[in-house]
Amino acid sequence: MSTTTKKKNNASDAKDWDTARDSVRDNADTLRAMTSHSELFSWAKEHGIDTGSLFRKWKTELRKQLHIDYDDLRQKAFDARLAEMDAEAEAAPQVTLYAAGDVEVNSFAVCSEHGEDPWYGEFHDNDRVDDQDSADREAARKAVYLAGQARDYQELDLIGLRLVVSNHRVTTRALQRDILKHSVFVTVEVVDNGEDNPALEVCRMPGFRTWREVSLTDLLAAEPATAQDEGEVV
């Protein structure tokens, strides 16, 4: 990085800090009256503060000046909604999907119990894949998305997903934004035996197959598999 570029970045960073500081200071009474992260985010968006680095600095200024912890408010809202979904999930339709990523070949797969009707191919540029853990998480996110498409197709309020993976770092906490976004209540089951996760083999298949080629009606009609091997449920 050149000296000129570094100076420009430093100047931009300082400007963002000043903008965040002044925004909170000059609107303290309005912001202090807000009780949820969604209210705060809507205000930030309305005032053009909801972008990357500036938003992070704005959240810091909220904490410093007003003792408002935006991330804590958001997590409490997430936890409350997840508890509601948990209570509703037993009566909701259930599906089972297997998911895996492979960082070596930059690919993923989401499929049914025996590898049927899969969605697979290379990760896209906007997928956040840096290592094997992130590859498996991105594949799991795609499984939640697919279940959400099935829910939307049948115009359901909620759907339950038994998600079988082979990586202990794929957890419901890591997927919570996708769970809430797509109204899919997820139970993660981790299987250590590769033979118990057909997605591991599917994601090495050549070519690709889009999620639009998957039969959502068959996915919903399938009887959810019962876990015979007690994998770790996260």
Side-chain angles (χ1 to χ4, degrees), residues 36-57:
S36 70
H37 80 284
S38 56
E39 287 181 290
L40 290 164
F41 182 78
S42 295
W43 190 93
K45 186 174 183 179
E46 181 182 344
H47 291 81
I49 302 174
D50 61 318
T51 55
S53 176
L54 177 56
F55 187 60
R56 289 192 294 272
K57 292 177 176 63

Side-chain angles (χ1 to χ4, degrees), residues 95-108:
V95 299
T96 295
L97 286 170
Y98 295 73
D102 191 324
V103 71
E104 289 186 7
V105 292
N106 192 42
S107 67
F108 70 91

Side-chain angles (χ1 to χ4, degrees), residues 56-69:
R56 289 192 294 272
K57 292 177 176 63
W58 186 75
K59 291 192 296 182
T60 299
E61 290 295 335
L62 279 177
R63 178 183 54 78
K64 286 167 52 181
Q65 296 186 42
L66 307 181
H67 301 104
I68 295 174
D69 190 327

Side-chain angles (χ1 to χ4, degrees), residues 115-158:
E116 312 98 332
D117 206 9
W119 171 21
Y120 68 94
E122 291 188 357
F123 286 111
H124 299 296
D125 291 340
N126 59 346
D127 290 325
R128 299 187 293 272
V129 177
D130 303 308
D131 53 22
Q132 186 56 49
D133 289 340
S134 57
D136 283 322
R137 282 193 294 266
E138 286 296 319
R141 292 184 66 212
K142 293 181 187 298
V144 179
Y145 176 85
L146 184 60
Q149 293 303 308
R151 179 199 59 75
D152 188 58
Y153 177 75
Q154 289 287 10
E155 299 181 339
L156 301 167
D157 293 329
L158 181 70

Side-chain angles (χ1 to χ4, degrees), residues 15-31:
K15 183 179 179 181
D16 282 352
W17 275 114
D18 290 344
T19 298
R21 178 200 62 202
D22 295 347
S23 171
V24 172
R25 181 190 61 198
D26 297 344
N27 298 278
D29 290 342
T30 298
L31 295 170

